Amino acid sequence: MAELPARIDVAIVGGGFAGCATAWALAKRGIRAIVLEREPQLGRFASGRGAGLGRQLAEDDATTALTVRGAEILRTELSSVWAPTGGILGFDDPARAATYVARAERFGIGAGVLDRTAILGEWPALDGIAFSSGLAVPTDGVIDIHTLLARYASDIDVSLSTPVERIEPGGAGASVVTARGAIEARIVVDASGAWAGSLVDTPPLDVFKRHLFVLEATAGPRAPFMWFLGREELYVRPDGDGILVSVCDASREPAGDAQPDQVGSYALRTLLGRAAPEWADAAVERVWACQRAFTPERTMRLGRDPERPWLVWAVGLGGHGATASAAIGETVAASI
């Protein structure tokens, strides 16, 4: 294991999508940074456990600006991580559907309105959902999240198994004290995900656990992913010979190593019993859990801290980290 540098321009705490993409963007600008990751591998928690859905149209314009730009970079500069499957957003509320149609128009996202019959033509098992309409987004896709993290990491300096114990402001920046020694940095980027703020006396983010399942069920291998944004939310996509499903459960819990539980399994079976009875008893090939972290405002916290000039934020990704990561890196790097 290489020794830590005594001094560096930028020290980034956290080796998930936000931290690695920020270091990648800084490297392209010729700024030296190091990612400090306490685990023996990158993206062990939220970043490495997502569904990899490259969904561009998000819940608000601020997030959509990042997901649209991020997807553009993934489709072009990092195309090996992107499968152009297309995506479908489904709705049971015409008014909500209209807001997404308008958002697609504002951001220049070519999208086509679908009726219930067209949606079920792609996903016939979801005939228990009361679709009012859908929105097909041909430029959406599926992201190979592990390859994406590896692509970012190939061009940056990373120190694994290096937990940060505390940050001591002073001098021209701050001293980042790790279990392997201290680093003097001009800028410290907090990209620690669900643990954000714990090292700098800032209130924690809102953290929620979500379950993901791969079922022994079939779909067309080229079927677009489908994300139902209704009163009961779920998303599905092909996964090898099975189908990846999440019913978008959200149980609040402290930051940590999220593990699947019976509450998540019950939520899956209950919702599938109504939404997709054909899958209600399908065997589960794999199950895992991840955490999503949100700011109180439900917008990402990116850029300079207003009161601590040495501190920069890259947190609160709210489940959009994979798609938005390259744009997050650009945004945070520009603030540095």
Side-chain angles (χ1 to χ4, degrees):
M1 184 180 296
E3 291 186 6
L4 295 178
R7 292 179 178 79
I8 199 158
D9 204 12
V10 182
I12 300 171
V13 182
F17 281 128
C20 291
T22 296
W24 182 72
L26 287 169
K28 289 164 57 174
R29 290 162 170 79
I31 298 174
R32 188 182 179 210
I34 188 169
V35 174
L36 305 171
E37 170 55 50
R38 69 180 183 182
E39 299 295 329
Q41 64 190 55
L42 295 173
R44 185 169 176 266
F45 298 108
S47 295
R49 301 186 188 183
L53 301 185
R55 171 185 158 193
Q56 296 172 89
L57 293 173
E59 298 80 11
D60 56 74
D61 282 9
T63 304
T64 298
L66 292 164
T67 50
V68 168
R69 172 58 180 159
E72 178 187 14
I73 297 171
L74 298 185
R75 289 194 304 264
T76 55
E77 193 171 347
L78 298 167
S79 60
S80 64
V81 310
W82 182 272
T85 62
I88 296 174
L89 304 181
F91 305 93
D92 58 6
D93 179 359
R96 190 175 190 191
T99 66
Y100 276 80
V101 170
R103 186 168 294 127
E105 292 174 351
R106 285 196 299 277
F107 283 90
I109 300 299
V113 176
L114 304 176
D115 60 16
R116 173 183 169 83
T117 300
I119 298 171
L120 294 179
E122 296 286 0
W123 289 96
L126 300 175
D127 60 353
I129 295 180
F131 292 109
S132 65
S133 66
L135 197 60
V137 185
T139 56
D140 278 352
V142 172
I143 303 162
D144 182 337
I145 56 177
H146 300 292
T147 300
L148 177 57
L149 274 171
R151 284 290 303 273
Y152 288 145
S154 66
D155 296 322
I156 63 177
D157 291 329
V158 176
S159 181
L160 299 174
S161 301
T162 307
V164 176
E165 297 174 343
R166 63 186 184 276
I167 299 173
E168 300 173 346
S175 176
V176 182
V177 181
T178 81
R180 299 181 51 224
I183 304 174
E184 298 296 323
R186 175 178 67 88
I187 295 292
V188 178
V189 178
D190 189 335
S192 57
W195 289 267
S198 60
L199 293 167
V200 291
D201 296 323
T202 296
L205 302 182
D206 296 328
V207 180
F208 299 90
K209 178 162 71 173
R210 171 170 290 182
H211 286 78
L212 297 92
F213 301 84
V214 174
L215 304 181
E216 291 183 2
T218 58
R222 293 182 175 83
F225 71 76
M226 207 292 300
W227 198 317
F228 177 55
L229 298 168
R231 286 179 291 273
E232 294 180 299
E233 190 174 348
L234 87 161
Y235 57 72
V236 297
R237 71 164 174 84
D239 185 276
D241 294 329
I243 294 175
L244 185 150
V245 180
S246 176
V247 297
C248 301
D249 53 313
S251 55
R252 189 184 292 270
E253 67 174 17
D257 185 359
Q259 295 297 316
D261 57 44
Q262 290 303 309
V263 174
S265 296
Y266 177 79
L268 173 78
R269 297 303 182 186
T270 301
L271 182 51
L272 290 185
R274 294 192 293 270
E278 176 183 324
W279 297 342
D281 297 319
V284 173
E285 292 181 2
R286 289 184 289 134
V287 57
W288 66 98
C290 65
Q291 291 187 324
R292 299 175 305 132
F294 298 83
T295 65
E297 302 78 22
R298 295 302 190 266
T299 57
M300 297 187 197
R301 185 181 297 163
L302 309 177
R304 293 271 185 166
D305 185 275
E307 298 182 359
R308 291 168 284 194
W310 52 269
L311 177 63
V312 171
W313 295 99
V315 300
L317 310 189
H320 292 286
T323 310
S325 58
I328 290 167
E330 282 187 337
T331 301
V332 177
S335 74
I336 294 172

